[in-house]
Amino acid sequence: MPVALLALALSAFGIGTTEFVIMGLLPEVAGDFGISIPTAGLLISGYALGVVVGAPVLTALGSRVPRKKVLIALMGLFILGNLISALAPGYGLLMTGRVVAALSHGAFFGVGSVVAASLVAPSKQASAIAMMFTGLTVANVLGVPGGTALGHAFGWRSTFWAVSALGVVGLIGIVALVPKQTTTPGAGLRSELAVFRRPQVWLALAMTTLGFGGVFASFTYIAPMMTGIAGFSDGAVTWLLVLFGVGLVIGNFLGGRAADHAIMPSIYVILAALSLVLLVFAVTAHAQLPAAITILLLGLAGFATVPPFQARVLAKAEGAPALASAANIGAFNLGNAGGAWLGGLAIEHGLGYTAPNWIGALLAAGGLLVAVVSGLLDRARKTRPVLSTVD
């Protein structure tokens, strides 16, 4: 793998850390600003909104700019957002810093996926994308716990200073290691938007939304599920999250390797496995050891979807892939929000803390159904008879 991918992975590590680390710092932030925990929790929602808005908008604005320059600008925006957060004298400016940092998130992973794929042969593109996303998965294992511990020891602002420093290192790596990226002939906003006329692009986005929605329908409520149903202590939840993060790292690697071999068969198998794991989790959540094993498998199956989903979008948006790739990052976040909402709805209606697992299994199965339809359309196109005329 080209060394330039390490620069992309390091930048992804910083982005992944700043996205999730705030969850462990909410009490400190709330106490510092004299606000409630739920109000502090809106910093998570504000970030998610920034990702959804920033992914298509910033990618579209940079459609005629060489992609290396776009990545450099996005990392600059990421650093700025975290510096604002570190210096924020009040809640409003902290929210501003979170949103500014989030604006770079979706566009970076969207454009970064295109750049990563361009650095290797077509047969290795999914693995290259997985290499970049390794930074995001490792952030869940090392960056988030480490950033949380740093914030507890030296104050929550120290975490944002550290993430800003990570952003600077990532920026230097992109400048030094990523080769010059020329604009694609005919590239521009019109050509980027034109790929959304292709039904297969929309089917790919639907796969992503449903498949990852299944993961977050369950994962969002992992803490109350494990403490209230499996009987774990509150302190054990941290280690269960680390276990989930280990599954993410393994799944990301395996998903990239599988997608390099065959994208659609990989998607079929992974979504079927994800649906099965979620069904099993509804049962294993009642016992500690089986629950812990299933959490590992949930992380593995959940993030194994990412490289093939992203590779599928790139394949179907060939010629102008950047905006579609960024839209797929938005689809991941839409799935996160939708899955969490549906899982919470099931709990509110008295179905219990294991109900989100059933919801997740249905969403993953829906993603599999969409994938089958997309695959059948591919097959129909390949077997469609070619009409010819005889003079």
Side-chain angles (χ1 to χ4, degrees), residues 104-170:
S104 68
H105 181 125
F108 181 88
F109 282 109
V111 176
S113 294
V114 179
V115 172
S118 72
L119 297 174
V120 297
S123 62
K124 297 292 183 182
Q125 288 183 347
S127 288
I129 294 170
M131 179 66 182
M132 182 187 69
F133 275 96
T134 296
L136 183 61
T137 59
V138 173
N140 284 276
V141 181
L142 299 177
V144 173
T148 301
L150 182 68
H152 289 168
F154 300 102
W156 62 267
R157 295 178 189 275
S158 66
T159 301
F160 288 102
W161 283 113
V163 174
S164 299
L166 281 174
V168 171
V169 175

Side-chain angles (χ1 to χ4, degrees), residues 205-230:
L205 295 176
M207 274 185 249
T208 298
T209 303
L210 291 169
F212 225 66
V215 176
F216 267 77
S218 172
F219 180 66
T220 302
Y221 305 99
I222 201 75
M225 195 188 310
M226 291 300 96
T227 56
I229 304 297

Side-chain angles (χ1 to χ4, degrees), residues 18 39 59 80 88-89 100 102 123 132 144 165 190 200 213 228 238 267 274-275 278 295 327 363 373 383:
T18 205
T39 300
T59 305
L80 175 63
V100 169
S123 62
M132 182 187 69
V144 173
R190 181 175 297 180
Q200 286 284 28
T238 299
I267 290 176
L274 176 60
S275 186
L278 286 162
I295 286 172
L363 288 171
V373 171
T383 58

Side-chain angles (χ1 to χ4, degrees), residues 233-286:
S233 66
D234 290 340
V237 172
T238 299
W239 298 107
L240 292 173
L241 295 179
V242 171
L243 192 62
F244 179 80
V246 171
L248 297 183
V249 175
I250 298 171
N252 181 59
F253 172 76
L254 295 179
R257 293 294 296 271
D260 278 338
H261 180 67
I263 294 178
M264 288 309 294
S266 298
I267 290 176
Y268 300 150
V269 172
I270 293 168
L271 284 175
L274 176 60
S275 186
L276 179 61
V277 167
L278 286 162
L279 286 174
V280 169
F281 200 16
V283 178
T284 59
H286 294 273

Side-chain angles (χ1 to χ4, degrees), residues 169-183:
V169 175
L171 175 61
I172 293 171
I174 292 172
V175 172
L177 300 177
V178 174
K180 184 178 180 181
Q181 301 281 310
T182 58
T183 54

Side-chain angles (χ1 to χ4, degrees), residues 22 29 33 43 81 84-86 88-99 156 160:
I22 191 67
V29 172
F33 291 141
L43 294 167
I84 293 172
S85 297
Y91 175 76
L93 201 56
L94 177 57
M95 176 66 81
T96 301
R98 292 285 293 167
V99 172
W156 62 267
F160 288 102

